[in-house]
Every structure is written in C-alpha cells, then in structure tokens.
Amino acid sequence: NLPSNSIIQIMSLSGRVMKEFSLTQQTILTDWNGKDDNGRFLSTGVYLVAAINTSNGEVGVTKLAVIRN
C-alpha cells in the first residue's frame, strides 16, 4: 500500500532512472506500458523498482524482469 505523494522509480542495475511515476493518491496498483521516460520500450533485462514514501523517506526495492520476443 503506497500512500499518496509516493514515487515509483524503475532503474537500470547501475542506478539510472528509466521511468518515474508520481502517485497522487494512495494505491496498491499502477499501470505501466513498458516504456521509459523518453517513450522507448525498455530492453530485455533486469531492472530495480523503488517505491519511495516522500512523507517519511522509507524506500522499498524489488527486482523486475523485462522479457521481449
């Protein structure tokens, strides 16, 4: 459960932010089309997903695999 004003970042393993979402309301789900902030589809690979609670600075990180045909 992410509170409002949280940020979700999808990052390369080197830490480069590929996509960032700013949440305006509390949610447990968000949609993503697989594209970076420049409108290009992410390549096949492993990425990090960080959920940042801007109210208290808490950060949760997990891995995401993108598989393309």
Side-chain angles (χ1 to χ4, degrees), residues 43-59:
S43 301
T44 294
V46 177
Y47 296 87
L48 300 174
V49 180
I52 305 160
N53 181 337
T54 58
S55 299
N56 62 14
E58 281 186 297
V59 178

Side-chain angles (χ1 to χ4, degrees), residues 20-31:
E20 184 170 286
F21 301 93
S22 295
L23 304 177
T24 57
Q25 56 186 332
Q26 185 172 347
T27 186
I28 58 169
L29 215 28
T30 191
D31 289 328

